[in-house]
Amino acid sequence: MLPSTPDRLVISRPPGGDFLHAFIPASRGLPSNRVAKAARAKLLIPFHCGAVICATILFVFILPTSGSSQTPPTSSADSARGRTWRTIAPDLDLGEFLPEGSFLQAPLVMVRSSLAKTKLRLIRSAEFGLARAEVRSLCRLAHASACINASFFDESGHPLGLLISRGVVIQNMHQKGRTLTGVLQVTRFGLDVLSRSQFRSHNVLEAVQAGPRLAIDGVATSGLKNDSRTGRAAVCRDRDNRVILAASSAGLRGLTFEELQDALLHESVGCVNALNLDGGGSAQIFIAPRSSSSSDTAVAVAINGFDPVPVALGIFEE
């Protein structure tokens, strides 16, 4: 279900930091604890302004600055549209990507890991006696450090397509249709995104079926018909065999498939094989490392969806 009103964002920055601290849908006003948090960071967006005015302030005047007129220094060649990847915990990096023509558009928020010191696992609402839940709640219940919504689901909230968790097949492959054409799989040798016809369950520890596939061998998949702008979620394997979870809010504009592909294939992101996850009101990501390698204020990033989900993907610190 698509949101009926645009998101508003509360943004705070860790001391000396350059990354978003929190994305919070707040169409009916801001919770007092969030207002306090933003005030402590000396950056508060008034919530009484109109949606267009608020968004203009955010993306034109606030996001490009960090308290000075100087451009924030980039730490590596991994810079993306003026933003950088930043290590927020062992084997866990936070990044954001602002698409071309990004006026009034929320960024694509990303988290990546080599899985050398982390694990990627499915988190099912059913494990906690729930039919569906917000990704933020599932992440906290499972004690994961970063989570994103995963499978599509039907009107009753039942997940669609293949699900394998800890080596156990929960649901079999959905073989028909043009949407659920890809599978993210994790084995003890690494992870990848395959077509459903390529998938073999031998030695697979975790797997989720979704689609369509957005990139194959570093090339954008052609012929994708969905040109609507909405919230998006995706997962990919990058050129260094790391997993990247990425999501964007619908904001005032949202992203098209083409814009999502452009972001994921940008040299600063480097996806090779990418899979679209359920979008619209289901698109949501939550990043809150259980340990931190930074001296800055603890990082917490959330894009909250409007629809609870039955399955999420979680990155777990070991």
Short mmCIF file of all heavy atoms in Angstrom, two decimals, residues 159-219:
data_model
loop_
_atom_site.label_atom_id
_atom_site.label_comp_id
_atom_site.label_asym_id
_atom_site.label_seq_id
_atom_site.Cartn_x
_atom_site.Cartn_y
_atom_site.Cartn_z
N PRO A 159 4.03 -14.57 3.12
CA PRO A 159 5.14 -14.32 2.19
C PRO A 159 5.04 -15.18 0.94
O PRO A 159 4.55 -16.31 0.97
CB PRO A 159 6.38 -14.69 3.01
CG PRO A 159 5.89 -15.61 4.08
CD PRO A 159 4.50 -15.17 4.40
N LEU A 160 5.52 -14.62 -0.16
CA LEU A 160 5.47 -15.31 -1.45
C LEU A 160 6.86 -15.77 -1.86
O LEU A 160 7.84 -15.03 -1.70
CB LEU A 160 4.90 -14.37 -2.52
CG LEU A 160 3.49 -13.82 -2.29
CD1 LEU A 160 3.14 -12.79 -3.36
CD2 LEU A 160 2.47 -14.95 -2.28
N GLY A 161 6.94 -16.97 -2.42
CA GLY A 161 8.19 -17.44 -2.98
C GLY A 161 9.08 -18.19 -2.00
O GLY A 161 8.75 -18.40 -0.83
N LEU A 162 10.24 -18.57 -2.52
CA LEU A 162 11.20 -19.38 -1.78
C LEU A 162 11.70 -18.70 -0.52
O LEU A 162 12.05 -17.52 -0.52
CB LEU A 162 12.40 -19.71 -2.68
CG LEU A 162 13.55 -20.50 -2.05
CD1 LEU A 162 13.14 -21.94 -1.84
CD2 LEU A 162 14.80 -20.40 -2.91
N LEU A 163 11.75 -19.48 0.55
CA LEU A 163 12.37 -19.03 1.80
C LEU A 163 13.19 -20.18 2.37
O LEU A 163 12.67 -21.28 2.57
CB LEU A 163 11.31 -18.62 2.84
CG LEU A 163 10.47 -17.37 2.56
CD1 LEU A 163 9.41 -17.22 3.66
CD2 LEU A 163 11.34 -16.13 2.48
N ILE A 164 14.46 -19.93 2.62
CA ILE A 164 15.32 -20.89 3.31
C ILE A 164 15.99 -20.17 4.47
O ILE A 164 16.56 -19.09 4.29
CB ILE A 164 16.40 -21.48 2.37
CG1 ILE A 164 15.74 -22.27 1.23
CG2 ILE A 164 17.36 -22.38 3.14
CD1 ILE A 164 16.74 -22.84 0.23
N SER A 165 15.87 -20.73 5.64
CA SER A 165 16.44 -20.11 6.84
C SER A 165 17.25 -21.13 7.60
O SER A 165 16.74 -22.20 7.96
CB SER A 165 15.32 -19.55 7.72
OG SER A 165 15.84 -18.98 8.90
N ARG A 166 18.54 -20.84 7.81
CA ARG A 166 19.45 -21.72 8.53
C ARG A 166 19.48 -23.12 7.94
O ARG A 166 19.53 -24.12 8.64
CB ARG A 166 19.09 -21.75 10.01
CG ARG A 166 19.25 -20.40 10.71
CD ARG A 166 18.50 -20.34 12.03
NE ARG A 166 18.65 -19.05 12.68
CZ ARG A 166 17.97 -17.95 12.36
NH1 ARG A 166 17.09 -17.99 11.36
NH2 ARG A 166 18.15 -16.81 13.02
N GLY A 167 19.42 -23.17 6.61
CA GLY A 167 19.50 -24.43 5.89
C GLY A 167 18.20 -25.19 5.77
O GLY A 167 18.17 -26.26 5.15
N VAL A 168 17.12 -24.66 6.32
CA VAL A 168 15.82 -25.34 6.29
C VAL A 168 14.91 -24.64 5.28
O VAL A 168 14.74 -23.42 5.33
CB VAL A 168 15.16 -25.32 7.69
CG1 VAL A 168 13.78 -25.98 7.63
CG2 VAL A 168 16.04 -26.02 8.70
N VAL A 169 14.32 -25.42 4.37
CA VAL A 169 13.40 -24.86 3.38
C VAL A 169 12.06 -24.59 4.06
O VAL A 169 11.37 -25.52 4.49
CB VAL A 169 13.21 -25.82 2.19
CG1 VAL A 169 12.19 -25.24 1.21
CG2 VAL A 169 14.53 -26.08 1.49
N ILE A 170 11.71 -23.32 4.16
CA ILE A 170 10.45 -22.91 4.78
C ILE A 170 9.33 -22.91 3.75
O ILE A 170 8.20 -23.32 4.02
CB ILE A 170 10.58 -21.52 5.41
CG1 ILE A 170 11.79 -21.44 6.35
CG2 ILE A 170 9.29 -21.13 6.14
CD1 ILE A 170 11.73 -22.40 7.51
N GLN A 171 9.64 -22.42 2.56
CA GLN A 171 8.69 -22.39 1.44
C GLN A 171 9.44 -22.73 0.16
O GLN A 171 10.62 -22.40 0.01
CB GLN A 171 8.05 -21.01 1.28
CG GLN A 171 7.02 -20.69 2.31
CD GLN A 171 6.27 -19.40 1.99
OE1 GLN A 171 5.46 -18.96 2.78
NE2 GLN A 171 6.53 -18.76 0.86
N ASN A 172 8.72 -23.36 -0.76
CA ASN A 172 9.32 -23.73 -2.04
C ASN A 172 9.27 -22.58 -3.04
O ASN A 172 8.59 -21.57 -2.84
CB ASN A 172 8.60 -24.96 -2.61
CG ASN A 172 8.86 -26.20 -1.80
OD1 ASN A 172 9.97 -26.43 -1.32
ND2 ASN A 172 7.83 -27.02 -1.61
N MET A 173 9.99 -22.75 -4.13
CA MET A 173 10.10 -21.74 -5.17
C MET A 173 8.76 -21.46 -5.84
O MET A 173 7.98 -22.37 -6.11
CB MET A 173 11.10 -22.22 -6.24
CG MET A 173 11.41 -21.19 -7.30
SD MET A 173 12.60 -19.95 -6.75
CE MET A 173 14.10 -20.94 -6.67
N HIS A 174 8.51 -20.18 -6.09
CA HIS A 174 7.37 -19.77 -6.92
C HIS A 174 7.88 -19.73 -8.36
O HIS A 174 8.78 -18.94 -8.69
CB HIS A 174 6.87 -18.40 -6.48
CG HIS A 174 5.68 -17.91 -7.24
ND1 HIS A 174 4.39 -18.28 -6.95
CD2 HIS A 174 5.59 -17.09 -8.32
CE1 HIS A 174 3.55 -17.69 -7.78
NE2 HIS A 174 4.26 -16.97 -8.63
N GLN A 175 7.31 -20.55 -9.24
CA GLN A 175 7.88 -20.75 -10.57
C GLN A 175 7.27 -19.90 -11.67
O GLN A 175 7.76 -19.89 -12.79
CB GLN A 175 7.76 -22.24 -10.96
CG GLN A 175 8.52 -23.19 -10.05
CD GLN A 175 10.03 -23.10 -10.23
OE1 GLN A 175 10.53 -22.34 -11.06
NE2 GLN A 175 10.76 -23.88 -9.44
N LYS A 176 6.17 -19.21 -11.39
CA LYS A 176 5.45 -18.51 -12.45
C LYS A 176 5.56 -17.00 -12.28
O LYS A 176 5.94 -16.50 -11.23
CB LYS A 176 3.99 -18.93 -12.46
CG LYS A 176 3.77 -20.41 -12.74
CD LYS A 176 2.29 -20.76 -12.73
CE LYS A 176 2.07 -22.23 -13.01
NZ LYS A 176 0.63 -22.59 -13.01
N GLY A 177 5.19 -16.28 -13.36
CA GLY A 177 5.13 -14.84 -13.31
C GLY A 177 6.43 -14.16 -13.68
O GLY A 177 7.48 -14.80 -13.80
N ARG A 178 6.37 -12.83 -13.83
CA ARG A 178 7.52 -12.05 -14.27
C ARG A 178 8.12 -11.18 -13.16
O ARG A 178 9.01 -10.38 -13.43
CB ARG A 178 7.11 -11.17 -15.45
CG ARG A 178 6.65 -11.94 -16.68
CD ARG A 178 6.29 -11.00 -17.81
NE ARG A 178 5.88 -11.72 -19.02
CZ ARG A 178 5.52 -11.13 -20.16
NH1 ARG A 178 5.51 -9.80 -20.24
NH2 ARG A 178 5.15 -11.87 -21.20
N THR A 179 7.60 -11.34 -11.97
CA THR A 179 8.11 -10.50 -10.87
C THR A 179 9.13 -11.24 -10.03
O THR A 179 10.27 -10.78 -9.86
CB THR A 179 6.95 -10.02 -9.98
OG1 THR A 179 6.05 -9.23 -10.77
CG2 THR A 179 7.49 -9.16 -8.84
N LEU A 180 8.77 -12.40 -9.50
CA LEU A 180 9.65 -13.14 -8.59
C LEU A 180 10.65 -13.96 -9.38
O LEU A 180 10.68 -15.20 -9.32
CB LEU A 180 8.82 -14.02 -7.65
CG LEU A 180 7.75 -13.31 -6.83
CD1 LEU A 180 7.03 -14.29 -5.91
CD2 LEU A 180 8.35 -12.16 -6.03
N THR A 181 11.52 -13.26 -10.11
CA THR A 181 12.42 -13.93 -11.05
C THR A 181 13.82 -14.18 -10.49
O THR A 181 14.64 -14.81 -11.15
CB THR A 181 12.56 -13.09 -12.33
OG1 THR A 181 13.02 -11.78 -11.97
CG2 THR A 181 11.23 -12.97 -13.06
N GLY A 182 14.09 -13.67 -9.29
CA GLY A 182 15.43 -13.80 -8.75
C GLY A 182 15.45 -14.37 -7.35
O GLY A 182 14.44 -14.38 -6.64
N VAL A 183 16.63 -14.84 -6.95
CA VAL A 183 16.82 -15.41 -5.61
C VAL A 183 18.14 -14.89 -5.05
O VAL A 183 19.18 -14.97 -5.71
CB VAL A 183 16.86 -16.95 -5.65
CG1 VAL A 183 17.15 -17.52 -4.26
CG2 VAL A 183 15.55 -17.51 -6.20
N LEU A 184 18.09 -14.36 -3.85
CA LEU A 184 19.31 -14.09 -3.10
C LEU A 184 19.64 -15.33 -2.30
O LEU A 184 18.79 -15.83 -1.55
CB LEU A 184 19.12 -12.91 -2.14
CG LEU A 184 20.27 -12.71 -1.16
CD1 LEU A 184 21.48 -12.11 -1.85
CD2 LEU A 184 19.85 -11.87 0.04
N GLN A 185 20.85 -15.84 -2.46
CA GLN A 185 21.24 -17.02 -1.70
C GLN A 185 22.54 -16.76 -0.93
O GLN A 185 23.40 -16.01 -1.37
CB GLN A 185 21.43 -18.24 -2.62
CG GLN A 185 22.64 -18.14 -3.54
CD GLN A 185 22.96 -19.46 -4.23
OE1 GLN A 185 22.08 -20.28 -4.45
NE2 GLN A 185 24.22 -19.67 -4.57
N VAL A 186 22.63 -17.38 0.22
CA VAL A 186 23.84 -17.33 1.04
C VAL A 186 24.28 -18.75 1.31
O VAL A 186 23.51 -19.58 1.77
CB VAL A 186 23.58 -16.61 2.38
CG1 VAL A 186 24.86 -16.56 3.21
CG2 VAL A 186 23.04 -15.20 2.15
N THR A 187 25.54 -19.04 0.96
CA THR A 187 26.14 -20.34 1.27
C THR A 187 27.38 -20.08 2.13
O THR A 187 27.74 -18.93 2.39
CB THR A 187 26.56 -21.09 -0.01
OG1 THR A 187 27.70 -20.44 -0.59
CG2 THR A 187 25.41 -21.12 -1.03
N ARG A 188 28.04 -21.13 2.55
CA ARG A 188 29.26 -20.94 3.34
C ARG A 188 30.40 -20.38 2.49
O ARG A 188 31.43 -19.98 3.01
CB ARG A 188 29.68 -22.25 4.01
CG ARG A 188 30.02 -23.38 3.08
CD ARG A 188 30.23 -24.67 3.86
NE ARG A 188 30.59 -25.81 3.02
CZ ARG A 188 31.84 -26.15 2.73
NH1 ARG A 188 32.85 -25.43 3.22
NH2 ARG A 188 32.10 -27.20 1.98
N PHE A 189 30.19 -20.31 1.17
CA PHE A 189 31.21 -19.77 0.27
C PHE A 189 30.95 -18.30 -0.06
O PHE A 189 31.77 -17.65 -0.70
CB PHE A 189 31.26 -20.58 -1.02
CG PHE A 189 31.52 -22.04 -0.82
CD1 PHE A 189 30.51 -22.97 -1.00
CD2 PHE A 189 32.77 -22.49 -0.40
CE1 PHE A 189 30.74 -24.34 -0.80
CE2 PHE A 189 33.01 -23.84 -0.19
CZ PHE A 189 31.99 -24.76 -0.39
N GLY A 190 29.79 -17.75 0.33
CA GLY A 190 29.47 -16.36 0.03
C GLY A 190 28.02 -16.21 -0.37
O GLY A 190 27.18 -17.07 -0.09
N LEU A 191 27.73 -15.10 -1.03
CA LEU A 191 26.35 -14.84 -1.44
C LEU A 191 26.31 -14.43 -2.90
O LEU A 191 27.32 -14.03 -3.48
CB LEU A 191 25.74 -13.72 -0.60
CG LEU A 191 26.11 -12.28 -0.98
CD1 LEU A 191 25.00 -11.33 -0.58
CD2 LEU A 191 27.41 -11.86 -0.32
N ASP A 192 25.12 -14.53 -3.50
CA ASP A 192 24.93 -14.07 -4.86
C ASP A 192 23.44 -13.96 -5.14
O ASP A 192 22.60 -14.46 -4.38
CB ASP A 192 25.58 -15.01 -5.88
CG ASP A 192 26.02 -14.28 -7.15
OD1 ASP A 192 25.63 -13.10 -7.33
OD2 ASP A 192 26.76 -14.87 -7.95
N VAL A 193 23.13 -13.30 -6.27
CA VAL A 193 21.76 -13.20 -6.76
C VAL A 193 21.69 -13.99 -8.06
O VAL A 193 22.46 -13.75 -9.00
CB VAL A 193 21.36 -11.73 -7.02
CG1 VAL A 193 20.00 -11.66 -7.69
CG2 VAL A 193 21.36 -10.95 -5.72
N LEU A 194 20.79 -14.94 -8.10
CA LEU A 194 20.64 -15.84 -9.25
C LEU A 194 19.23 -15.75 -9.80
O LEU A 194 18.31 -15.26 -9.12
CB LEU A 194 20.91 -17.29 -8.84
CG LEU A 194 22.22 -17.59 -8.11
CD1 LEU A 194 22.21 -19.03 -7.61
CD2 LEU A 194 23.41 -17.33 -9.00
N SER A 195 19.04 -16.26 -11.01
CA SER A 195 17.69 -16.43 -11.52
C SER A 195 17.08 -17.65 -10.85
O SER A 195 17.80 -18.52 -10.34
CB SER A 195 17.70 -16.64 -13.04
OG SER A 195 18.26 -17.91 -13.36
N ARG A 196 15.77 -17.72 -10.83
CA ARG A 196 15.13 -18.87 -10.17
C ARG A 196 15.44 -20.18 -10.89
O ARG A 196 15.46 -21.25 -10.28
CB ARG A 196 13.62 -18.66 -10.06
CG ARG A 196 12.89 -18.48 -11.37
CD ARG A 196 11.46 -18.04 -11.14
NE ARG A 196 10.78 -17.75 -12.39
CZ ARG A 196 9.65 -17.05 -12.49
NH1 ARG A 196 9.07 -16.58 -11.40
NH2 ARG A 196 9.10 -16.82 -13.66
N SER A 197 15.72 -20.09 -12.20
CA SER A 197 16.06 -21.31 -12.94
C SER A 197 17.47 -21.79 -12.62
O SER A 197 17.78 -22.98 -12.73
CB SER A 197 15.91 -21.09 -14.44
OG SER A 197 16.79 -20.07 -14.89
N GLN A 198 18.35 -20.88 -12.21
CA GLN A 198 19.73 -21.24 -11.86
C GLN A 198 19.84 -21.79 -10.44
O GLN A 198 20.81 -22.48 -10.13
CB GLN A 198 20.64 -20.00 -11.97
CG GLN A 198 20.86 -19.47 -13.37
CD GLN A 198 21.65 -18.18 -13.32
OE1 GLN A 198 21.34 -17.26 -12.56
NE2 GLN A 198 22.69 -18.09 -14.14
N PHE A 199 18.90 -21.50 -9.60
CA PHE A 199 19.03 -21.80 -8.18
C PHE A 199 19.04 -23.31 -7.91
O PHE A 199 18.25 -24.06 -8.47
CB PHE A 199 17.87 -21.16 -7.40
CG PHE A 199 17.87 -21.51 -5.95
CD1 PHE A 199 18.75 -20.89 -5.07
CD2 PHE A 199 17.03 -22.49 -5.46
CE1 PHE A 199 18.77 -21.22 -3.73
CE2 PHE A 199 17.03 -22.83 -4.11
CZ PHE A 199 17.90 -22.19 -3.24
N ARG A 200 19.95 -23.71 -7.05
CA ARG A 200 20.00 -25.09 -6.53
C ARG A 200 20.14 -24.99 -5.02
O ARG A 200 20.94 -24.22 -4.50
CB ARG A 200 21.19 -25.85 -7.12
CG ARG A 200 21.17 -25.97 -8.64
CD ARG A 200 20.02 -26.85 -9.13
NE ARG A 200 20.03 -26.99 -10.58
CZ ARG A 200 19.39 -26.18 -11.43
NH1 ARG A 200 18.72 -25.14 -10.96
NH2 ARG A 200 19.46 -26.38 -12.73
N SER A 201 19.37 -25.77 -4.31
CA SER A 201 19.30 -25.64 -2.86
C SER A 201 20.47 -26.26 -2.10
O SER A 201 20.61 -26.04 -0.89
CB SER A 201 17.99 -26.25 -2.34
OG SER A 201 17.93 -27.63 -2.66
N HIS A 202 21.32 -27.01 -2.79
CA HIS A 202 22.42 -27.71 -2.12
C HIS A 202 23.37 -26.70 -1.47
O HIS A 202 23.83 -25.73 -2.10
CB HIS A 202 23.19 -28.57 -3.13
CG HIS A 202 24.27 -29.39 -2.51
ND1 HIS A 202 24.04 -30.37 -1.58
CD2 HIS A 202 25.63 -29.35 -2.69
CE1 HIS A 202 25.18 -30.91 -1.21
NE2 HIS A 202 26.16 -30.32 -1.88
N ASN A 203 23.66 -26.90 -0.19
CA ASN A 203 24.60 -26.07 0.58
C ASN A 203 24.11 -24.65 0.84
O ASN A 203 24.88 -23.81 1.32
CB ASN A 203 25.98 -25.99 -0.10
CG ASN A 203 26.75 -27.29 0.02
OD1 ASN A 203 26.59 -28.04 0.99
ND2 ASN A 203 27.59 -27.57 -0.97
N VAL A 204 22.84 -24.37 0.54
CA VAL A 204 22.31 -23.03 0.77
C VAL A 204 21.88 -22.89 2.23
O VAL A 204 21.13 -23.71 2.76
CB VAL A 204 21.12 -22.73 -0.16
CG1 VAL A 204 20.45 -21.40 0.21
CG2 VAL A 204 21.59 -22.70 -1.60
N LEU A 205 22.37 -21.84 2.87
CA LEU A 205 22.03 -21.58 4.27
C LEU A 205 20.83 -20.65 4.40
O LEU A 205 19.97 -20.83 5.27
CB LEU A 205 23.23 -20.96 4.98
CG LEU A 205 24.53 -21.79 4.97
CD1 LEU A 205 25.66 -20.99 5.61
CD2 LEU A 205 24.31 -23.11 5.71
N GLU A 206 20.80 -19.61 3.56
CA GLU A 206 19.72 -18.64 3.59
C GLU A 206 19.34 -18.30 2.15
O GLU A 206 20.21 -18.21 1.28
CB GLU A 206 20.15 -17.34 4.31
CG GLU A 206 20.73 -17.53 5.68
CD GLU A 206 19.68 -17.81 6.75
OE1 GLU A 206 18.52 -17.36 6.62
OE2 GLU A 206 20.04 -18.49 7.75
N ALA A 207 18.05 -18.10 1.91
CA ALA A 207 17.62 -17.71 0.56
C ALA A 207 16.26 -17.04 0.64
O ALA A 207 15.41 -17.41 1.47
CB ALA A 207 17.56 -18.91 -0.38
N VAL A 208 16.06 -16.05 -0.23
CA VAL A 208 14.75 -15.40 -0.35
C VAL A 208 14.52 -15.08 -1.82
O VAL A 208 15.42 -14.66 -2.54
CB VAL A 208 14.68 -14.12 0.51
CG1 VAL A 208 15.71 -13.09 0.09
CG2 VAL A 208 13.28 -13.52 0.47
N GLN A 209 13.30 -15.31 -2.27
CA GLN A 209 12.92 -15.05 -3.65
C GLN A 209 12.22 -13.71 -3.74
O GLN A 209 11.36 -13.38 -2.92
CB GLN A 209 11.99 -16.16 -4.16
CG GLN A 209 11.61 -16.03 -5.63
CD GLN A 209 10.71 -17.17 -6.10
OE1 GLN A 209 10.28 -17.99 -5.30
NE2 GLN A 209 10.43 -17.23 -7.40
N ALA A 210 12.59 -12.91 -4.73
CA ALA A 210 11.96 -11.61 -4.95
C ALA A 210 12.17 -11.25 -6.42
O ALA A 210 12.43 -12.11 -7.25
CB ALA A 210 12.54 -10.55 -4.01
N GLY A 211 12.09 -9.96 -6.74
CA GLY A 211 12.33 -9.59 -8.12
C GLY A 211 11.63 -8.29 -8.51
O GLY A 211 10.91 -7.69 -7.72
N PRO A 212 11.90 -7.87 -9.73
CA PRO A 212 12.77 -8.50 -10.71
C PRO A 212 14.25 -8.28 -10.40
O PRO A 212 14.60 -7.49 -9.52
CB PRO A 212 12.38 -7.81 -12.02
CG PRO A 212 11.96 -6.43 -11.58
CD PRO A 212 11.26 -6.63 -10.27
N ARG A 213 15.10 -8.98 -11.14
CA ARG A 213 16.54 -8.75 -11.03
C ARG A 213 16.86 -7.40 -11.66
O ARG A 213 16.40 -7.08 -12.76
CB ARG A 213 17.31 -9.87 -11.73
CG ARG A 213 17.06 -11.24 -11.11
CD ARG A 213 17.60 -12.36 -11.99
NE ARG A 213 19.06 -12.45 -11.90
CZ ARG A 213 19.81 -13.22 -12.70
NH1 ARG A 213 19.23 -13.94 -13.65
NH2 ARG A 213 21.11 -13.27 -12.54
N LEU A 214 17.63 -6.60 -10.96
CA LEU A 214 17.93 -5.24 -11.41
C LEU A 214 19.23 -5.15 -12.19
O LEU A 214 19.39 -4.27 -13.05
CB LEU A 214 18.00 -4.30 -10.20
CG LEU A 214 16.70 -4.16 -9.39
CD1 LEU A 214 16.97 -3.42 -8.09
CD2 LEU A 214 15.63 -3.45 -10.20
N ALA A 215 20.17 -6.03 -11.89
CA ALA A 215 21.46 -6.04 -12.57
C ALA A 215 21.99 -7.46 -12.64
O ALA A 215 21.83 -8.22 -11.69
CB ALA A 215 22.46 -5.13 -11.86
N ILE A 216 22.60 -7.79 -13.78
CA ILE A 216 23.19 -9.11 -13.98
C ILE A 216 24.60 -8.91 -14.51
O ILE A 216 24.80 -8.29 -15.56
CB ILE A 216 22.36 -9.95 -14.98
CG1 ILE A 216 20.92 -10.10 -14.48
CG2 ILE A 216 23.01 -11.31 -15.21
CD1 ILE A 216 19.99 -10.77 -15.49
N ASP A 217 25.59 -9.39 -13.77
CA ASP A 217 26.99 -9.27 -14.16
C ASP A 217 27.39 -7.82 -14.44
O ASP A 217 28.11 -7.52 -15.40
CB ASP A 217 27.29 -10.15 -15.38
CG ASP A 217 27.12 -11.63 -15.08
OD1 ASP A 217 27.31 -12.01 -13.91
OD2 ASP A 217 26.80 -12.39 -16.01
N GLY A 218 26.89 -6.89 -13.61
CA GLY A 218 27.27 -5.50 -13.73
C GLY A 218 26.54 -4.71 -14.79
O GLY A 218 26.88 -3.55 -15.06
N VAL A 219 25.53 -5.30 -15.41
CA VAL A 219 24.77 -4.63 -16.47
C VAL A 219 23.30 -4.52 -16.03
O VAL A 219 22.72 -5.50 -15.54
CB VAL A 219 24.85 -5.39 -17.80
CG1 VAL A 219 24.01 -4.71 -18.87
CG2 VAL A 219 26.30 -5.51 -18.24
#
